[in-house]
Amino acid sequence: MRWMHLALVCVLAALPAQAGWAAQITIGLAAAPTSADPHFHVLAANNMLSGHVFSSLLRADNNLRLQPDLAESWALEGGNTWRMQLRSGVTFHDGSPFTARDVV
């Protein structure tokens, strides 16, 4: 569990300093994650940690209904094409803008 705390602190330390940001964050999980990399292993503990650190196009609420996250709205066009309106003003950790090309 200690390595998870260290990994999370390293991720947060890489973010630009902002006034009012906490120096430490504590997240309670039912089990210790095996990785903070969302592509490493698809395990419940890893997914729970990723949900606190990374954004996605959509999120599921407590009733498993889709809610907006990086996509503000979405609509099915045709049989297998989705059109999503992306949230504006979103940037990556390095300051580069989030665009439709990143989704594709």
Side-chain angles (χ1 to χ4, degrees), residues 1 10 12-13 16 36 49 51 54 56 63 66-68 72 74 77 82-83 85-86 91 94 102 104:
M1 194 65 140
C10 290
L12 294 175
L49 176 62
F54 302 105
S56 60
N63 295 312
L66 293 178
Q67 300 296 320
E72 293 181 327
W74 56 95
E77 292 185 354
W82 289 90
R83 179 172 298 275
Q85 178 65 42
L86 301 179
T91 58
D94 64 357
D102 298 309
V104 173

Side-chain angles (χ1 to χ4, degrees), residues 55-56 68-73 84-91 98-99:
S55 293
S56 60
D69 193 1
L70 291 173
E72 293 181 327
S73 62
M84 296 191 170
Q85 178 65 42
L86 301 179
R87 193 170 66 192
S88 63
V90 176
T91 58
F98 169 66
T99 68

Side-chain angles (χ1 to χ4, degrees), residues 6-7 11 17 24-27 35 37 43 45 48 60-61 71 76 78 82 87 96:
L6 177 62
V11 168
Q24 180 177 338
I25 185 171
T26 302
I27 299 173
S35 175
D37 180 348
L43 300 173
M48 294 303 294
D61 66 13
L76 182 61
W82 289 90
R87 193 170 66 192
S96 60

